[in-house]
Amino acid sequence: MKNKFRYNTVTSAIDALRREGFINDFNLIEDRIVCGEKALQVDDVDIKILYRYEGDSDPADEATVYGLESKEGLKGILVLGDETDSDETSTKILTKLHLKNNRSKKLH
């Protein structure tokens, strides 16, 4: 997973990811990562690229842009704002996703 900070805006990061083939939109719904009608388990998805944005003066301006890829090769983008922290289920999914990716990185 690449952790990047080089774009000034979330929109710029999304545009760059789209150019790299991350053309689908991912969402968190209940305990799954969803792309259209397809629901994916955390174990079926890897974080390929991660962009973090911190607001200068307002924590509500914080956002994370994920470039995700499924085991089937489905590439897409998940954008989460600071408000996700209040959603316990979303927090659990993201924690699992990050732990899974950190574990696999240590094994290689």
Side-chain angles (χ1 to χ4, degrees):
M1 166 182 61
K2 294 183 224 173
N3 196 352
K4 296 185 177 185
F5 297 90
R6 69 175 180 198
Y7 296 103
N8 292 330
T9 66
V10 169
T11 303
S12 298
I14 291 170
D15 290 343
L17 284 169
R18 295 242 189 262
R19 286 190 300 273
E20 291 184 41
F22 293 87
I23 58 171
N24 297 288
D25 293 320
F26 286 96
N27 292 292
L28 295 181
I29 299 178
E30 296 178 6
D31 63 341
R32 303 194 191 275
I33 299 169
V34 178
C35 179
E37 298 293 319
K38 190 169 198 73
L40 305 165
Q41 298 290 332
V42 170
D43 291 336
D44 296 332
V45 179
D46 288 320
I47 301 171
K48 295 299 184 180
I49 300 174
L50 173 70
Y51 297 100
R52 294 179 199 254
Y53 295 89
E54 296 181 13
D56 292 330
S57 60
D58 185 356
D61 291 339
E62 294 178 4
T64 305
V65 179
Y66 294 88
L68 302 176
E69 184 172 3
S70 74
K71 287 182 179 178
E72 300 171 349
L74 186 65
K75 292 172 73 173
I77 299 168
L78 174 66
V79 179
L80 299 174
D82 186 52
E83 73 276 357
T84 304
D85 292 338
S86 62
D87 182 350
E88 188 176 327
T89 303
S90 296
T91 301
K92 286 180 183 178
I93 293 170
L94 290 172
T95 300
K96 283 182 181 179
L97 190 59
H98 281 277
L99 288 174
K100 173 186 162 301
N101 279 273
N102 285 333
R103 221 180 6 252
S104 67
K105 193 168 32 170
K106 289 177 185 175
L107 295 175
H108 288 82

